[in-house]
Amino acid sequence: MSVTTVVGVDGAGRTHRLRQLATAANGPAIWFAGALPPAPHEDQLTIVDDAHRLDAATLRQLTAAAHGGVPMAISRRPTIDRAELADLDAAVATGGVEFLAPLDHDGVAVLVATVTGRPVSPEIAAEVLAASAGMPAVAAALATAPPGVTPPALLARVQRRFAVLDQGVVTTARVLALRLDLGDHVLAGAAGLEIDALAAALRTLHDEGLLVDDRMIPAVADAVLHELPAASRRRVHDAVAGALMATGADPVVAAGQLRAARAATPAAGAVYRAAGERLRFADPTAAAGWFDDASDAGADPASLIAGRAEASALLGLPVDADSPGDARMTLVAGAVAAHQGRAARAAELLLGAAAPGPMLAVPSLVGVGQADRASEVVRAGQGTHPAALVRFAEGALASAQPAVALPLLIEAAEVVERANPALVLPDTPHAVAAVVAVAAGDVASAEHLLTRALATRIGGPVAEERHRLLLAWARMRAGRYDTALHELRTPITAEAPGRERLLRAALAAGIARRRGDIAGLREAWSGVEPLLARRTVDLWQVEAIEELAVAAARLRRSARVEPVLDLLDGIIAGLGRPVTWSVSLHWIRLHMAIGTEDTDAAGEVAGRLAEIVKPQAGTVGPAEAAGSPAEVTERPAAQWAAAAQWAAVLDGRVEPEAVLSATEDLHAAELPWEASRLAGQAAIRTGDPTAARRLLERARELSDPDETAAAGGLSEREVTVARLVLGGSTHREIGAQLYIAPKTVEHHVARIRGKLGASTRAELLAMLREMFGD
């Protein structure tokens, strides 16, 4: 008769396998109970269960019997930890060695059916397999327990094991029961073991049948945690948190591990806080979640204030920043004030903050007309602040001369993109540069910078909204309305900062103005009037204020906006009345006069513009003035010439060639809608039919957006109409914008539907969205 060794961890079915061998033996089988019979029979199989538990003398006795020819079958754990056990294994294993592997799906199904006495579904078998890792003893315990209840037999088994195991091994088991992906050094630190001792502890737990591939069996882990008192579990969480940080683990990874373990102790809270600090600028949404977890875990509330405020500010969420406290909170308070459109308050807070606060204050100082203070800050900060912030400040300070300011702001934007500062920025160089570029008639640079800002996510989510709105604004000014219409159709998920609410209202008013939509103007004005009542506008909002001021004039609310214009006039005076911004302010007053058809006011504005621009440009015309002094760019020169023509047109004096020349200059300065309107109004007011036709045709040409590439077989005019239909404009609104009759618009829409094969309006809109990517 052969001898054999059955090897398996506890609970793998060693005893069950020995019983099968005993049943299959050719002769009688006896179970070893501490001593061999005086004269064992050569056909009698001696069965030794749990040989690893026997003492050295007994193991030597069994080894001698095996060498003497006594048939024998033994079972043991995988680990051979003594020479005597090794000798017995060598003597017995000549008949073969069986390693008991975990059961597969079919094996678990058979076991569960045997234990319960009823068939088992494949789904139940799969659940038991997953929870037991195929360990027979665990699977049997699960099969006999009610669903969702820790099996009493499994709980008792864990308790018995822990009662006799070394404390370091028990602690290791409790840490493993959290089912975290911990490295060996972290696991050893949490268990209070040296790394060599950890290997022995893992080997013991494996032999005990608690682990599979150094991972705790899920059902066993549940039993270990069920057996663990709440206070002890908190100690385990603290040990893991301490070990993670002591071994230099990435706090975000460490926090993820502790969150998975549902750790909620002050030590875990410290890790959650560290994760929030790590992510507050890179991923403020995740950081806010970590700060919440830290608070729930009992972290010191004072340690969370600054980090939470920084993350919230970047997300555009409310921040209690009026009582700043420490240096970080002062910087946050200044940035939030800027986001809310309170430039004076932002400058005050940032000037009182530690570096780089004063340098960050410069754009706000310029925005409220305090150029002298801004210059002092820039001079004092040279060589002591990050290059990006210095260039940003220099560019904002030079905004009186766009040709000088833009290169500095572009350089600042490029540096920020390479190394986004760990700060809540009051504004971004991309945004300020875009405002300056649009004011100078350089929409292409504005688009380029804003697109890059959106791609690189400079300034966080709160800045992303600003960049989107400014991009829509720049394109609308250049006669392309798709982006603005898309932005206005996008639902607002949260209350936007005051600065962006004003800009969004200006977009709405601009679109309504271009459609001739009085109801839209009224809605835009009513939404923003409370913001304007605060008198907190600044230089960087001059262009946006134009649309709101015109809306106020059209609605007979000019008195409400005059204080705002006076405030802007004071700001521009504080900057030395630079040409670009002075012209922008007077351009607002011109269009208010146009909106109310106030001929005298329009003539007065035209005279003031001549006083501002003509001395700078000399005697050259608007087209040449851009090449004169650096301060006179193409756009102010074009606005000067157009203002004179507007005053004449409103007074009934139309000089077609002069009007057409002015419209060319406006179009070149990226003001095509204004050019189209001047030509259209001149056409209406001239008494010369030939001139009227020329002017009206020019108005129609200028009203087309720049993006007129044919698509889907549509003509350029049909593309224009299609885009406006997609934007939600009515036939009347499209006609007012393109200077054609609503009936003509209807014919255009009918031809578009025919070319695209759309049978219904819904189908037409769906096809247009696909065609234009909306």
Side-chain angles (χ1 to χ4, degrees):
M1 179 179 291
S2 64
V3 292
T4 189
T5 298
V6 177
V7 180
V9 300
D10 291 0
R14 295 192 307 259
T15 302
H16 177 71
R17 180 56 183 147
L18 288 177
R19 289 197 184 100
Q20 290 178 328
L21 293 174
T23 301
N26 294 327
I30 64 168
W31 289 77
F32 180 74
L36 287 170
H41 194 277
E42 63 179 8
D43 292 331
Q44 187 178 54
L45 178 65
T46 298
I47 298 176
V48 182
D49 200 4
D50 292 344
H52 53 275
R53 298 185 187 278
L54 301 177
D55 59 39
T58 304
L59 290 172
R60 286 193 292 270
Q61 179 190 11
L62 290 171
T63 301
H67 284 307
V70 174
M72 194 174 297
I74 71 169
S75 74
R76 64 167 175 84
R77 289 174 170 177
T79 300
I80 298 177
D81 56 359
R82 288 170 293 162
E84 293 82 3
L85 180 58
D87 291 341
L88 173 61
D89 189 73
V92 176
T94 56
V97 178
E98 291 188 26
F99 287 92
L100 300 180
L103 300 175
D104 59 13
H105 182 276
D106 292 340
V108 168
V110 171
L111 174 63
V112 173
T114 302
V115 170
T116 61
R118 58 180 180 273
V120 60
S121 69
E123 292 77 17
I124 295 297
E127 289 178 10
V128 174
L129 175 61
S132 67
M135 197 59 59
V138 180
L142 289 168
T144 56
V149 175
T150 300
L154 195 54
L155 184 59
R157 182 167 178 252
V158 167
Q159 291 170 335
R160 287 194 299 269
R161 294 292 195 271
F162 284 7
V164 299
L165 291 174
D166 179 79
Q167 188 57 44
V169 176
V170 173
T171 304
T172 302
R174 287 172 173 166
V175 175
L176 289 170
L178 299 176
R179 285 177 272 188
L180 305 177
D181 186 18
L182 302 177
D184 286 350
H185 284 84
V186 177
L187 179 57
L193 299 174
E194 296 296 331
I195 195 70
D196 293 338
L198 174 65
L202 293 173
R203 192 162 52 245
T204 298
L205 292 171
H206 184 267
D207 285 345
E208 291 282 351
L210 304 182
L211 307 183
V212 172
D213 297 330
D214 288 343
R215 301 277 183 175
M216 185 160 281
I217 297 168
V220 173
D222 292 340
V224 170
L225 294 178
H226 185 86
E227 177 267 345
L228 192 63
S232 298
R233 186 181 298 194
R234 286 193 291 271
R235 284 196 294 273
V236 173
H237 288 163
D238 279 348
V240 172
L244 283 165
M245 299 312 292
T247 54
D250 184 324
V252 178
V253 175
Q257 298 279 34
L258 294 171
R259 178 186 274 172
R262 299 182 182 179
T265 66
V271 179
Y272 297 148
R273 184 187 69 80
E277 292 286 337
R278 171 69 65 85
L279 293 176
R280 67 193 193 279
F281 297 115
D283 188 349
T285 301
W290 288 124
F291 288 128
D292 288 343
D293 285 352
S295 178
D296 293 342
D300 179 11
S303 69
L304 306 176
I305 292 175
R308 192 196 295 273
E310 287 165 336
S312 297
L314 287 169
L315 292 169
L317 299 176
V319 176
D320 182 14
D322 285 332
S323 49
D326 66 9
R328 285 170 61 186
M329 283 298 294
T330 304
L331 290 173
V332 173
V336 169
H339 298 168
Q340 290 298 334
R342 298 184 295 160
R345 175 62 174 161
E348 176 188 348
L349 288 166
L350 293 169
L351 284 172
M359 197 63 72
L360 289 171
V362 170
S364 294
L365 287 170
V366 174
V368 295
Q370 297 186 33
D372 292 343
R373 292 185 72 185
S375 297
E376 291 174 8
V377 171
V378 172
R379 282 196 300 270
Q382 293 286 352
T384 62
H385 288 76
L389 299 185
V390 173
R391 289 292 176 272
F392 186 11
E394 290 174 341
L397 188 59
S399 61
Q401 295 180 291
V404 177
L406 276 174
L408 293 170
L409 291 168
I410 291 170
E411 182 183 349
E414 291 171 346
V415 176
V416 167
E417 288 171 20
R418 290 195 295 269
N420 201 351
L423 293 164
V424 181
L425 293 172
D427 207 346
T428 68
H430 303 71
V432 173
V435 172
V436 172
V438 170
D442 184 2
V443 173
S445 291
E447 284 190 272
H448 177 65
L449 285 163
L450 293 168
T451 302
R452 276 171 40 181
L454 288 167
T456 53
R457 307 186 70 180
I458 295 299
V462 70
E464 180 180 346
E465 181 170 19
R466 177 160 176 73
H467 295 145
R468 284 199 333 266
L469 290 169
L470 282 171
L471 181 60
W473 168 261
R475 287 175 174 169
M476 183 183 76
R477 297 289 280 178
R480 287 170 287 146
Y481 310 129
D482 292 2
T483 306
L485 290 167
H486 176 77
E487 194 65 45
L488 293 173
R489 287 198 302 267
T490 302
I492 304 174
T493 55
E495 182 72 2
R499 181 176 61 188
E500 274 57 80
R501 293 213 308 277
L502 187 145
L503 184 54
R504 188 180 182 89
L507 273 180
I511 291 296
R513 177 186 174 193
R514 286 154 178 77
R515 287 175 167 175
D517 180 3
I518 296 298
L521 283 176
R522 186 177 292 110
E523 183 179 356
W525 170 254
S526 64
V528 80
E529 187 177 8
L531 281 175
L532 294 176
R534 297 190 312 174
R535 309 287 191 268
T536 55
V537 296
D538 58 57
L539 179 72
W540 314 119
Q541 296 169 324
V542 169
E543 291 280 311
I545 293 296
E546 177 186 330
E547 300 296 345
L548 300 172
V550 173
R554 293 287 299 276
L555 298 172
R556 303 294 187 265
R557 299 284 193 276
S558 296
R560 302 287 182 88
V561 82
E562 281 297 339
V564 173
L565 299 182
D566 291 342
L567 178 62
L568 289 173
D569 185 66
I571 290 171
I572 292 169
L575 298 176
R577 296 200 178 278
V579 170
T580 296
W581 300 108
S582 296
V583 170
S584 292
L585 183 59
H586 286 300
W587 189 250
I588 294 174
R589 293 190 180 279
L590 173 68
H591 279 274
M592 291 177 66
I594 294 169
T596 56
E597 299 195 3
D598 187 336
T599 303
D600 292 340
E604 184 180 348
V605 171
R608 289 179 180 174
L609 283 173
E611 292 173 2
I612 294 169
V613 179
K614 196 171 182 179
Q616 299 287 335
T619 58
V620 299
E624 294 82 8
S628 301
E631 198 176 354
V632 183
T633 61
E634 186 175 22
R635 182 168 164 183
Q639 289 170 312
W640 157 44
Q645 293 308 312
W646 264 116
V649 166
L650 289 177
D651 195 35
R653 295 179 286 108
V654 178
E655 298 181 28
E657 295 304 326
V659 169
L660 289 171
S661 176
T663 62
E664 291 298 330
D665 294 334
L666 286 175
H667 184 259
E670 301 279 9
L671 293 171
W673 184 80
E674 286 82 348
S676 173
R677 189 149 187 258
L678 173 57
Q681 288 298 313
I684 292 171
R685 295 168 191 267
T686 184
D688 181 349
T690 302
R693 282 194 296 273
R694 286 181 62 201
L695 289 166
L696 187 58
E697 182 60 31
R698 183 57 180 151
R700 289 171 176 170
E701 291 172 358
L702 290 166
S703 68
D704 281 342
D706 290 344
E707 299 177 46
T708 55
L714 305 183
S715 69
E716 293 185 356
R717 172 64 77 180
E718 287 165 350
V719 168
T720 301
V721 172
R723 287 184 180 276
L724 293 170
V725 168
L726 184 58
S729 297
T730 64
H731 290 177
R732 181 182 63 79
E733 291 167 348
I734 296 172
Q737 182 170 323
L738 301 182
Y739 297 103
I740 57 179
K743 194 68 176 176
T744 304
V745 177
E746 185 179 338
H747 291 319
H748 279 306
V749 173
R751 283 197 297 272
I752 292 167
R753 285 178 60 174
K755 288 183 178 182
L756 297 182
S759 57
T760 65
R761 179 175 176 80
E763 188 176 350
L764 172 64
L765 292 175
M767 296 175 78
L768 292 178
R769 288 190 194 97
E770 183 177 354
M771 179 183 297
F772 298 123
D774 286 350

